[in-house]
């Protein structure tokens, strides 16, 4: 059974490992051989976990997904820009052992259903063509190219002024999980 919870500091190593694995595959623009860059990425993830803020001040939340109490994926959602009502799929990673089993699509559906009334974008590097296809099948459309990233956007299905901000909803509780 797929479960989710808001990440806490015990998930820092797992999340960083997921992102570094993806960066080695060309899915993130992180120089994995540069210790300063990797340290900065780790500080950014730690800020998201501890303060729900990226280092540039945008709100962000990291959610960990697990199966049978084993962490298998992470999703980070952030504001697209400070104070913006558009959100960004900042990072999404499924561990290698659980790829190609439909988890990415299921997790994406869970996350995107929370954003039916909000605009959401995603930036995909060329190596992330599978992610681009997943997003396009879920209503995202090409918006622009930005510094080598294909920017995809899904607009809200309709205006819903009573929709609560994403970061106010904290009803996901911490589940049990094992270290990967």
């Amino acid at each position: 059974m797929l479960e989710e919870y808001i990440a806490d500091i015990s998930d820092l190593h797992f999340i960083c490992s997921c992102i570094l694995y993806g960066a080695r595959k060309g899915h993130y623009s992180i120089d994995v051989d540069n210790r300063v860059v990797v340290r900065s990425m780790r500080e950014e993830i730690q800020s998201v976990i501890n303060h729900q803020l990226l280092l540039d001040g945008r709100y962000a939340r990291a959610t960990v997904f697990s199966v049978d109490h084993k962490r298998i994926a992470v999703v980070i959602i952030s504001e697209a820009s400070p104070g913006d009502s558009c959100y960004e799929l900042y990072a999404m990673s499924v561990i290698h052992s659980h790829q190609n089993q439909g988890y990415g699509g299921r997790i994406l559906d869970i996350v995107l259903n929370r954003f039916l009334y909000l605009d959401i974008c995603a930036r995909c590097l060329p190596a992330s063509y599978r992610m681009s296809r997943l997003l396009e099948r879920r209503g995202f459309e090409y918006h622009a190219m930005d510094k080598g990233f294909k920017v995809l956007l899904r607009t809200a299905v309709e205006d819903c002024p009573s929709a609560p901000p994403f970061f106010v909803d904290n009803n996901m509780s911490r589940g049990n999980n094992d270290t990967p």
Side-chain angles (χ1 to χ4, degrees), residues 9 39 43 50 63 69 78 87 99 105 125 127 130 148 152 173 175:
I9 200 64
R39 187 177 323 117
E43 289 170 3
N50 290 335
T63 304
H69 307 293
S78 71
Y87 290 90
Q99 291 178 1
L125 286 167
R130 290 176 62 201
L152 300 167
S173 61

Side-chain angles (χ1 to χ4, degrees), residues 7 15-16 19 28 41 44-46 48-49 54 59-65 73-79 88-93 111 115 120-121 166-167:
I15 295 169
C16 290
I19 291 173
Y28 301 104
M41 181 266 314
E44 181 122 84
I45 301 307
Q46 189 168 356
V48 170
I49 291 170
L54 294 169
Y59 289 108
R61 180 188 292 167
T63 304
V64 175
F65 291 81
V74 62
V75 173
I76 300 175
I77 300 290
S78 71
E79 288 178 295
E88 180 177 353
L89 180 58
Y90 184 82
M92 180 174 164
S93 185
V111 171
F115 289 89
I120 185 165
C121 68
F166 176 70
F167 297 99

Side-chain angles (χ1 to χ4, degrees), residues 15-95:
I15 295 169
C16 290
S17 296
C18 286
I19 291 173
L20 290 174
Y21 175 79
R24 286 185 193 93
K25 299 290 187 179
H27 301 294
Y28 301 104
S29 61
I30 297 170
D31 181 355
V32 296
D33 296 321
N34 184 325
R35 289 184 176 167
V36 173
V37 170
V38 171
R39 187 177 323 117
S40 177
M41 181 266 314
R42 183 179 176 84
E43 289 170 3
E44 181 122 84
I45 301 307
Q46 189 168 356
S47 178
V48 170
I49 291 170
N50 290 335
H51 308 291
Q52 291 192 345
L53 291 172
L54 294 169
L55 293 177
D56 66 6
R58 291 182 287 158
Y59 289 108
R61 180 188 292 167
T63 304
V64 175
F65 291 81
S66 63
V67 172
D68 298 328
H69 307 293
K70 182 181 187 319
R71 294 177 285 203
I72 66 155
V74 62
V75 173
I76 300 175
I77 300 290
S78 71
E79 288 178 295
S81 61
D84 197 344
S85 63
C86 182
Y87 290 90
E88 180 177 353
L89 180 58
Y90 184 82
M92 180 174 164
S93 185
V94 177
I95 63 172

Side-chain angles (χ1 to χ4, degrees), residues 1 3 13 26 31 44 62 70 95 122-123 130 134 137 149 155 167:
M1 173 182 223
E3 297 178 345
H13 179 73
D31 181 355
E44 181 122 84
K70 182 181 187 319
I95 63 172
R123 299 168 184 266
R130 290 176 62 201
L134 273 175
R137 280 187 240 136
F149 288 88
T155 56
F167 297 99

Side-chain angles (χ1 to χ4, degrees), residues 112-123:
L112 293 177
N113 280 335
R114 295 189 180 115
F115 289 89
L116 291 176
Y117 303 106
L118 300 167
D119 295 341
I120 185 165
C121 68
R123 299 168 184 266

